[in-house]
Amino acid sequence: MRTAQLWHWIYYRGTSSFEEMLNISKAFRLRLSERFTLARPQIVSEQLSRDGTRKWLIRFDPVDVRDRGAEVECVYIQDEDRGTLCVSSQVGCTLTCAFCHTGTQKFVRNLTAQEIIAQLIIARDRLGDFPERAPPEDGIVPTGGSRFVSNIVFMGMGEPLYNFENVRDAVAVFSDGDGLSLSKRRITVSTAGVVPRLHELGAETGAMLAISLHAVRDELRDKLVPLNRKYKIAELLQACRTYPGASNARRITFEYVMLKGINDSPADARELVRLLKGVPAKINLIPFNPWPGTAFECSDDATIEAFSSIVFNAGYASPVRTPRGRDILAACGQLKSETEKLRARALLAAEG
Ligand code: SF4
């Protein structure tokens, strides 16, 4: 009974202090507040794009003496009928996808499940998306009657399948019907293709799957998504064919960033269609979002259009993702924070 009460206060009502839990005895509330805290991580900054996209830089406290805290970015993209929160799973990333800004930041550490969940709690706090709260004064929230955060995508910083246990636990909390209550069909985990963990992801979380594909030939994908040197395209697609729960009603999303003169020819589009045979797929074409120092350029509109029609005529939905939040570097592949790992000497000092 106590667990259900606490769960309701924390995840359904979004309470940030034990004091407010009036159906729990004063003595027990006191004991809880002596040992635990519901305080939110610090929001270092909040940026609001011209198109209504919001980006938060969130600072987490150190988890041990070796850690000096961590900063991650988290982005909220509002549409008329939905609100999507793009969460981070790691600080930095071990993978170095050539077109991705996060990939230029050295990996610092995995986020804990509670740090992943905190990103949703913070978003709901800021958007007034808990019972009896008001939306922000700028009023930029979905108007179609959905919850303000109705969808979660693990497409922020990091490779979620290299932090599997914490991502799995966070998905379980996100989707619990007595708490944050997001439908699993609206939670998407995006991976660069960590093949050995795909089956587990589907079986243990029931989340939707997205694959950062970006190339249809191994020589090119080896360069764009270096993880491909370990798990080749054929092996990755075979794992997708047997992904638990995938069906025509629950399609796997294939993300494909459009890079001028690199992966955007009609022959690439035809090969993409050939490769995806037998996979319940939809294809998300992402115009490349530039970031400081990148050598890539975005394909031009006509090329994207031609690519999209080949895919569409083969029977696949192939929406071109409208870039959101570019002016605040909140668009796909643009996230990065300043957090770095402690150098060896600082580590010794911290431990001493
Ligand atoms: S695309 Fe994803 S996996 Fe690749 S470097 Fe960026 S954050 Fe890491």
Side-chain angles (χ1 to χ4, degrees):
M1 186 192 78
R2 280 268 178 270
T3 310
Q5 285 174 323
L6 286 169
W7 193 268
H8 179 84
W9 281 110
I10 296 170
Y11 293 121
Y12 182 79
R13 303 198 75 85
T15 306
S16 59
S17 132
F18 293 109
E19 268 313 289
E20 294 168 37
M21 303 179 175
L22 293 177
N23 58 352
I24 293 177
S25 75
K26 203 165 180 187
F28 188 53
R29 290 193 323 244
L30 191 67
R31 273 169 56 207
L32 286 170
S33 56
E34 281 165 3
R35 291 175 191 209
F36 306 104
T37 173
L38 294 174
R40 312 302 198 221
Q42 184 195 349
I43 300 176
V44 180
S45 66
E46 177 179 85
Q47 286 174 279
L48 182 60
S49 156
R50 281 192 292 273
D51 64 22
T53 302
R54 269 169 221 271
K55 181 169 84 168
W56 295 287
L57 177 64
I58 300 172
R59 179 164 183 79
F60 296 113
D61 287 339
V63 287
D64 56 36
V65 285
R66 298 168 146 261
D67 181 30
R68 52 178 175 180
E71 287 179 355
V72 296
E73 294 192 313
C74 170
V75 177
Y76 174 68
I77 306 134
Q78 127 287 347
D79 286 298
E80 205 179 305
D81 59 342
R82 65 164 74 181
T84 304
L85 189 71
C86 177
V87 296
S88 294
S89 55
Q90 298 184 311
V91 187
C93 189
T94 50
L95 304 179
T96 47
C97 300
F99 51 86
C100 173
H101 200 198
T102 309
T104 65
Q105 178 182 357
K106 281 213 177 83
F107 174 72
V108 178
R109 70 167 169 87
N110 281 332
L111 294 184
T112 62
Q114 87 195 59
E115 288 168 335
I116 298 172
I117 297 162
Q119 296 171 64
L120 174 57
I121 306 256
I122 281 180
R124 285 206 164 148
D125 270 350
R126 300 293 300 152
L127 297 165
D129 194 19
F130 281 117
E132 292 157 36
R133 310 271 186 92
E137 280 172 7
D138 54 42
I140 303 178
V141 286
T143 50
S146 76
R147 293 269 333 227
F148 294 162
V149 182
S150 56
N151 296 52
I152 299 255
V153 292
F154 282 82
M155 294 184 188
M157 296 162 62
E159 165 51 60
L161 296 193
Y162 279 165
N163 187 12
F164 180 79
E165 284 76 14
N166 288 313
V167 167
R168 176 198 59 201
D169 294 352
V171 170
V173 175
F174 287 154
S175 57
D176 184 274
D178 293 324
L180 294 163
S181 204
L182 276 144
S183 155
K184 286 185 175 177
R185 297 176 66 105
R186 290 171 175 265
I187 302 175
T188 302
V189 177
S190 171
T191 175
V194 184
V195 170
R197 304 223 80 160
L198 280 184
H199 188 86
E200 244 172 320
L201 175 72
E204 294 188 24
T205 67
M208 305 294 283
L209 176 65
I211 302 286
S212 299
L213 190 65
H214 311 309
V216 289
R217 283 170 282 114
D218 281 321
E219 318 84 82
L220 179 60
R221 195 164 190 269
D222 283 352
K223 291 186 196 124
L224 294 182
V225 184
L227 185 65
N228 195 70
R229 295 181 202 145
K230 222 166 167 182
Y231 310 113
K232 298 291 180 199
I233 294 174
E235 198 184 339
L236 173 59
L237 293 180
Q238 192 45 37
C240 290
R241 286 189 180 90
T242 55
Y243 185 70
S247 67
N248 282 341
R250 289 173 58 99
R251 290 172 185 268
I252 298 171
T253 303
F254 288 84
E255 290 151 6
Y256 197 97
V257 64
M258 298 299 295
L259 302 169
K260 189 176 195 164
I262 305 278
N263 64 354
D264 58 355
S265 72
D268 287 321
R270 286 191 291 272
E271 179 61 6
L272 179 60
V273 169
R274 195 190 66 77
L275 281 175
L276 292 182
K277 227 176 213 132
V279 184
K282 60 182 174 201
I283 296 150
N284 216 337
L285 299 178
I286 308 168
F288 173 65
N289 296 304
W291 38 268
T294 181
F296 293 109
E297 286 177 67
C298 180
S299 311
D300 50 50
D301 290 351
T303 309
I304 298 178
E305 188 57 37
F307 194 105
S308 167
S309 347
I310 294 173
V311 174
F312 180 77
N313 290 335
Y316 292 100
S318 57
V320 179
R321 194 188 291 172
T322 317
R324 299 289 303 267
R326 268 184 174 175
D327 55 328
I328 55 168
L329 281 188
C332 226
Q334 290 186 315
L335 304 187
K336 184 171 178 176
S337 74
E338 300 296 328
T339 312
E340 286 177 13
K341 246 189 175 152
L342 280 182
R343 301 264 169 271
R345 193 176 296 181
L347 198 57
L348 283 175
E351 284 175 333

